[in-house]
Amino acid sequence: MNRITKDKLFIYCTKLIIGISLVIVFSILLFILYKGYKGLNSGFILTESKSFGAEGGILYQIIGSLMLTIMAGIICFPIALGAAIYDSEYLKNPKIKSITSTLIFGLNGVPSIIFGIFGLIFFVNILGTGISWLVGSVILAFMILPTALTASRQTMESIPKKYREASLGLGLTKWQMIRSVIIPQSFSGSLTGLFIGLARAIGETAPIMFIATAFSGVTIPYNFLQPAVTLPTHLLNLAQNAVNPSALQNAWSTALVLIFLVVVFNLTAMILRFKFKTYTPQR
Amino acid sequence: MEHALKVVKIAQDKDELLSIREIDIWFNEHHLLRKVSMSVPLNSITCIIGPSGAGKSTLLRSINRINLEDGFAINGSIWMNGKNLYDTDTDIYETRKNIGMVFQQPCIFPTSIYENVLFGIKHHQKLSKPEKVNIVEENLKAVSLWNEVKHRLHDKAETLSIGQQQRLSIARTLAVKPTLILMDEPTSALDPKTSLSIEELIVQLKEKYTVILVTHNIDQARRIADKVVFMCEGSVVEQGTCTDLMNNPQEKLTKGYISTSHCDC
């Protein structure tokens, strides 16, 4: 086999691999769409669930999921931004930099159930918070922290050195330089990372099922220390009662709504990345 | 403090703005500059010439202390207005403000022309809107850019040509009112015509400012310099007035470099 044939074969192989991946993803999506759309109507979205979810809608589950996810974003973003600033602008020792990177990647690889167990032991048992949606948000925030932090840091490190030097050369302090150059120019990249993390967080069940959610009998929490109902745990509950055709239909429709929300967060991340891409190399 | 000032007044000539005294610079184990000494007269253009790797940019960047990276070490002193810039009590940010820097590639922030001019000064003092407008106009006029951009001050600065961007960089530097302006090959990225217009601007600037210019271009140094410093392998080989050094170099290395643009050091 000559070089040109090998080259063509390699291209075909990569096309085949991407094709298989797309077929799998779209098959799952189309199947859920096919199964879920039958039960989807305004009543399903705008009413509360009844009979442990077998009847009624998922209004409170949607609100609960959004509350947990948005609060996780609010908690995660400043921590990720601050840590990324320290890592890219102040931390110069390459050994310590390498250790922190390894730890961050390590945190990303921790199974989500471990976060849930940690939350249960630390917050619920030791601190005695009880089952609280805020605790769930804190745990989700830590879970998505590596994604948000890595995105922020990469955006900051991609800002050319000349911008730092030009601003410092005008007599700006390091903090003034960070405030006027680094943060504005990495903001959209940081937000993109955050939204990618949130897209993952909204679909998580394991980290929140012991510490933040109830399976039923809960409406909208009126303080930080009350549990919420969420889409993933509701889906789990319905799947366990799948012998009931009505519960099974609601499970498919809930899955469709959950996927829609995940897609919305991912699309937001994509829009932020393309629309507000500020640091293009200059001539 | 008073004592230090008196000492310096004796040590520095009255028409001398900057005095570099026997500085050695290391970056990690690399000895980049060796016993470099030079003086910079007030309201003049001092050109530092020499082959690549001679240490010209290292010297320039050590003047406004922008090269304080890990592994950087300096021995010796740089005096300006009676103050050693490397004294522990020297305000590094004030030093950088007083010593503006223009880089090889125009460095334009991704914002409007108007905001680019104000980028540095707005961090040093509170400005009212009329003051901002005045500063923008005054400094864009100083770099002969006002007439070209006065109707589109709020356009993105990236829309300017590369020559206009370099003028804008200079206007931004002037806005913080430096005493000394360091220029690191500011015309090397420009075409010959634009390059000449920047040269004219530099000559105009010396009426109010003192300029140190690093250049590879011997003809450029010949056209605009009052004083020329020739560097090779981290050392100053020869320095003097432009006329003396260009027409009657004393060192063999200088003669070779001026006639061939190559250095055998």
Side-chain angles (χ1 to χ4, degrees):
Chain A
M1 202 187 297
N2 65 23
R3 288 192 312 151
I4 296 166
T5 315
K6 277 182 185 172
D7 195 39
K8 280 182 180 168
L9 190 66
F10 178 74
I11 294 167
Y12 288 131
C13 283
T14 52
K15 281 182 179 172
L16 184 69
I17 290 164
I18 192 81
I20 291 170
S21 311
L22 289 174
V23 165
I24 292 169
V25 170
F26 278 104
S27 300
I28 294 169
L29 287 176
L30 287 173
F31 190 70
I32 293 170
L33 184 66
Y34 170 72
K35 288 282 193 179
Y37 90 98
K38 292 172 197 165
L40 208 60
N41 52 51
S42 59
F44 183 70
I45 303 290
L46 298 173
T47 59
E48 62 182 290
S49 59
K50 293 169 190 161
S51 309
F52 296 97
E55 291 170 27
I58 52 168
L59 175 66
Y60 295 138
Q61 283 79 3
I62 294 173
I63 293 171
S65 281
L66 288 175
M67 279 174 68
L68 251 88
T69 310
I70 291 167
M71 182 57 88
I74 292 169
I75 295 166
C76 176
F77 191 63
I79 299 172
L81 200 64
I85 288 170
Y86 182 75
D87 197 67
S88 76
E89 304 303 317
Y90 291 99
L91 190 56
K92 298 296 173 199
N93 187 324
K95 277 185 187 167
I96 298 175
K97 228 173 159 64
S98 161
I99 291 168
T100 54
S101 294
T102 309
L103 287 174
I104 290 162
F105 281 120
L107 191 63
N108 208 20
V110 172
S112 55
I113 186 73
I114 304 292
F115 283 97
I117 298 293
F118 170 76
L120 181 69
I121 295 168
F122 185 73
F123 288 102
V124 180
N125 292 349
I126 297 175
L127 296 183
T129 56
I131 293 176
S132 145
W133 71 275
L134 182 65
V135 169
S137 292
V138 171
I139 289 296
L140 285 178
F142 280 112
M143 205 186 74
I144 63 171
L145 187 63
T147 310
L149 199 161
T150 305
S152 295
R153 191 182 57 187
Q154 283 175 348
T155 320
M156 286 173 191
E157 285 175 350
S158 71
I159 298 172
K161 193 180 168 191
K162 65 176 182 175
Y163 294 102
R164 289 174 175 82
E165 288 190 339
S167 52
L168 292 175
L170 290 163
L172 272 66
T173 62
K174 194 150 188 173
W175 166 237
Q176 285 174 325
M177 183 270 287
I178 288 169
R179 209 181 58 198
S180 57
V181 176
I182 305 299
I183 293 176
Q185 299 313 322
S186 62
F187 201 73
S188 63
S190 303
L191 273 181
T192 302
L194 180 74
F195 273 87
I196 291 169
L198 292 180
R200 183 187 160 197
I202 199 167
E204 282 290 348
T205 316
I208 55 171
M209 61 191 289
F210 307 125
I211 56 172
T213 62
F215 284 93
S216 65
V218 168
T219 57
I220 299 171
Y222 58 82
N223 67 37
F224 288 129
L225 296 176
Q226 286 200 323
V229 280
T230 65
L231 290 169
T233 45
H234 185 62
L235 189 56
L236 178 69
N237 185 36
L238 291 172
Q240 284 169 341
N241 296 310
V243 283
N244 178 347
S246 170
L248 186 61
Q249 179 55 57
N250 276 0
W252 285 117
S253 301
T254 304
L256 186 58
V257 172
L258 185 57
I259 284 176
F260 173 76
L261 289 175
V262 170
V263 170
V264 166
F265 278 105
N266 275 321
L267 275 178
T268 311
M270 281 173 68
I271 291 165
L272 283 168
R273 190 168 58 198
F274 291 113
K275 195 165 181 180
F276 302 107
K277 197 174 171 186
T278 43
Y279 258 113
T280 47
Q282 293 180 18
R283 288 167 292 173
Chain B
M1 189 69 186
E2 196 60 32
H3 175 70
L5 280 173
K6 277 179 190 168
V7 171
V8 171
K9 273 176 188 166
I10 295 163
Q12 275 192 273
D13 291 343
K14 63 178 176 7
D15 60 346
E16 179 186 89
L17 177 71
L18 188 87
S19 174
I20 297 172
R21 295 182 192 171
E22 298 205 326
I23 60 164
D24 281 88
I25 287 179
W26 293 265
F27 188 71
N28 294 325
E29 71 275 19
H30 305 289
H31 195 172
L32 302 177
L33 294 188
R34 295 161 192 274
K35 295 274 174 269
V36 169
S37 293
M38 62 181 267
S39 63
V40 176
L42 261 173
N43 296 100
S44 67
I45 299 170
T46 301
C47 280
I48 304 174
I49 60 169
S52 297
K56 307 181 296 290
S57 296
T58 304
L59 174 62
L60 202 71
R61 293 160 65 84
S62 67
I63 295 172
N64 73 341
R65 297 185 59 182
I66 205 150
N67 54 357
L68 295 178
E69 290 149 341
D70 285 353
F72 171 85
I74 185 166
N75 187 25
S77 57
I78 300 178
W79 296 85
M80 186 170 142
N81 290 333
K83 183 102 186 127
N84 180 3
L85 302 181
Y86 280 86
D87 265 353
T88 46
D89 64 340
T90 299
D91 181 342
I92 187 169
Y93 305 113
E94 199 58 29
T95 300
R96 289 175 181 161
K97 181 176 167 257
N98 288 334
I99 305 175
M101 185 141 189
V102 177
F103 298 88
Q104 189 173 357
Q105 293 282 338
C107 181
I108 294 302
F109 294 103
T111 177
S112 67
I113 297 165
Y114 182 87
E115 285 297 329
N116 259 280
V117 178
L118 297 170
F119 190 87
I121 185 72
K122 71 181 180 187
H123 288 98
H124 298 299
Q125 61 189 86
K126 274 204 164 213
L127 299 165
S128 64
K129 196 169 178 204
E131 282 173 329
K132 286 180 183 174
V133 172
N134 280 342
I135 288 169
V136 170
E137 184 175 344
E138 180 192 329
N139 290 290
L140 287 175
K141 277 181 177 168
V143 297
S144 309
L145 195 58
W146 175 250
N147 287 334
E148 294 162 52
V149 300
K150 64 183 175 190
H151 299 301
R152 53 182 183 121
L153 290 173
H154 297 282
D155 283 6
K156 287 235 167 204
E158 287 111 318
T159 59
L160 297 174
S161 72
I162 195 156
Q164 289 173 320
Q165 288 186 15
Q166 192 63 296
R167 285 173 183 276
L168 182 58
S169 302
I170 297 171
R172 187 179 60 210
T173 303
L174 299 183
V176 295
K177 301 196 185 308
T179 316
L180 173 66
I181 302 174
L182 310 174
M183 296 188 167
D184 192 359
E185 300 185 51
T187 60
S188 64
L190 310 179
D191 63 76
K193 194 181 164 194
T194 316
S195 206
L196 280 173
S197 70
I198 296 285
E199 278 180 25
E200 284 168 17
L201 171 63
I202 295 169
V203 173
Q204 286 167 25
L205 289 177
K206 80 168 178 178
E207 286 176 22
K208 289 185 181 172
Y209 308 92
T210 304
V211 178
I212 304 178
L213 176 86
V214 162
T215 181
H216 271 112
N217 187 335
I218 296 167
D219 290 332
Q220 184 176 63
R222 209 188 294 269
R223 283 193 294 269
I224 66 173
D226 297 300
K227 178 175 179 174
V228 177
V229 178
F230 172 55
M231 286 184 73
C232 202
E233 287 206 326
S235 301
V236 171
V237 177
E238 192 172 349
Q239 57 183 307
T241 63
C242 181
T243 320
D244 286 350
L245 196 126
M246 293 291 180
N247 299 335
N248 189 22
Q250 301 298 305
E251 299 291 330
K252 193 179 161 197
L253 283 174
T254 319
K255 281 179 194 165
Y257 186 73
I258 288 170
S259 55
T260 64
S261 291
H262 292 290
C263 188
D264 298 324
C265 57

